[in-house]
Amino acid sequence: MTVQTPLASCNVFLDLLAREAAPVEFEEPVASARAAGAAPETLAQLEAAKLAALRVSAGMRRQARREAELTALFDLAGDLAGLRDLDAVLEAIVRRARRLLNADIAYVTLNDDERGETRMRMTDGSISAAFRRLRIPLGDGLGGLVAQTAMPYSTDHYLRDPQFRHHAFIDAAVTEEALVAILGVPMRVGSRVIGVLYAANRTERPFAPEQAVLLGSLAAHAALAIDNARLLAETRAAVEELNAVNGRLRARGAAIERAAQAHDRMTALVVKGGDAGDVAAVVTEVLGGTLYVLDAAGRCLVASGDPVPLAEDELPAVTGATHPRGGTTRHADLRITPISTPSEVLGTLALRTEAELDDADRRILERAALVTALLMLLRRSPAEAEARVRGELLDDLLDGRAGGTACGRTDDRPGGRADGGADGGVDGAAALEARIHRVGLERNVPYVVLSARCASPRHRGRAAFWAASYAAAAHGLAAARGEEVVLLLPGDVPGETARRVAKELGAALAAPVTVGAAGPVRELSGVPAAHREARRCADTLLALDRMDDGADARELGFVGLLISAHRDARGFLEATLGPVLDYDARRGTSLVRTLETYFGSRCALSRTAERLHVHINTVHQRLHRVSRLLGEDWQEPERALEIQLALRLHRLRS
């Protein structure tokens, strides 16, 4: 066998180095020379050449690995530079760290100084959900040691390492993840540690120092990328907030401009003599929806927009006084604003809209209420003047000062004549006719006189205003006199008119109103007497606790007979016993006598039959006829009393 020379053997090692042979291949030239029986000197030279070649090979491998690591770091830096999302940055870091260190798992934790903890932020290779959810108090665990010292730390066996503080929940999560060897390096921005980058193995496979250096390089890149991502996120948030603020400012400016234009248009309406309908049109044009303008009595004066009538259950909320004056309240899809002055509420604006109103929109609605109040006051002045004229005329009629003999009184002027002559009565009558004509009062129709009483004195002012408007619309008169409001209205059914006024005025005031009535009167001279009777009716209703009601003397039965100025006994008889009296007159029967005997016998049928000398069945038949004529309730205590009084009055008149 040919023995290679040392030079040839060296060439063999060079060939092995050139083709980056595995370390085991470097043993073959030495083994071949030994087998060929080479001299000891040659074997020593070959062994020395082998060792030198192995050192060169190891250096070449280290250099290649370092180049690969540097290339990986360069690639990572490029990847991180193109990432803007923090999660994407962290995912790239842990994936690259796990691959470069050939670790079973890589993960990163970030510090939360406000909460005083560090939490798991991203993992690669994890199999435990509890491990991925870890939140660790600052300073605890291996990561706490790395963060405190700002130095890398590696452990061959985490659970047995006493160099850091253990917690049962941390150790349980590490056990569930089956981690053994762990390497952690700090991620620093300047002098501040923002987190820790880890690589870990599930066996006792310790990490070499160069691996710690490599992971530290990754951590340095990661810290910069994380800080940049945070800064970018904060910048984006600041830009978004700035854009939102700018948007709000623009919207605010537009709303203020819109409100200013609406205010100018509504103010111009006052100068041009507009009305509540014009104001409502401006509001619905600007805010949309439907605007209702209601007066103090709750009557809808204007509905602008797409008018859908207010429901009955909405009226209490709209007309109620629960909302603060000058403010806007909400009821379902209605925005309610009072039309008010410092001393009274004139009405209400109600805007029906599903859109939300901002402060500027609410100010538009409230400015509309203010302008509407001003327009109402401007129109109220002539109305109040007319109401004053009407009230003064009614006062004069009630007190007999209307002039001339039309009221049955003498002329109050100096030199007036008591006989109604040309010097006094004729002129007074002419003046009265002129005043009546001026207010539109008709002389050839019947009138009823009403005396309205409010439950509370604070309602009398509003009641007087309502009565003046109501009377003017009905071509009548109204005046406030002390505790009552007096109305003179066309009509010939006093009780029905009284109940209608009690109901409508009570609804407008949201308080009970009692109304006494008298009439009808066909001559104005009868107004004072009718007024006195109406007052007595109102007093009687109040004494009977019939609040929120109205009636005339005829409807009050025998009480009405007592308080009536005319003492209309015939009317009381006709109202109480008329059908029975008529039946007896037409048929020649004795129903009236039967009734007298029946009540005189204490309503005993047998005793009544004995006194009338008839069979008890006859009494029963007569009383059945009475029931058909007077109604089945004629024996009720109240009606029975009135019937007995009517029977007594009939006997006295006969």
Side-chain angles (χ1 to χ4, degrees), residues 572-596:
F572 175 69
L573 281 175
E574 290 178 355
T576 308
L577 283 178
V580 176
L581 294 173
D582 292 343
Y583 191 88
D584 278 353
R586 290 196 313 270
R587 303 292 182 90
T589 54
S590 303
L591 295 182
V592 171
R593 183 186 173 196
T594 301
L595 280 174
E596 289 180 334

Side-chain angles (χ1 to χ4, degrees), residues 100 191 200 343 347 461 531-532 555 588:
L100 287 178
S191 60
S343 58
H531 173 230
R532 290 191 291 271
E555 295 173 334

Side-chain angles (χ1 to χ4, degrees), residues 17 26 48-62:
L17 290 173
F26 286 83
K50 181 195 72 170
L51 294 176
L54 286 174
R55 286 195 296 270
V56 172
S57 177
M60 291 174 62
R61 286 197 300 273
R62 286 196 299 271

Side-chain angles (χ1 to χ4, degrees), residues 430-447:
L432 177 61
E433 288 295 336
R435 295 174 68 187
I436 291 174
H437 178 75
R438 187 162 59 247
V439 299
L441 207 64
E442 299 182 27
R443 292 295 298 268
N444 298 321
V445 298
Y447 284 88

Side-chain angles (χ1 to χ4, degrees), residues 593-612:
R593 183 186 173 196
T594 301
L595 280 174
E596 289 180 334
T597 306
Y598 177 70
F599 283 118
S601 302
R602 297 183 180 180
C603 302
L605 293 178
S606 58
R607 190 176 303 171
T608 302
E610 291 176 1
R611 291 186 178 183
L612 292 176

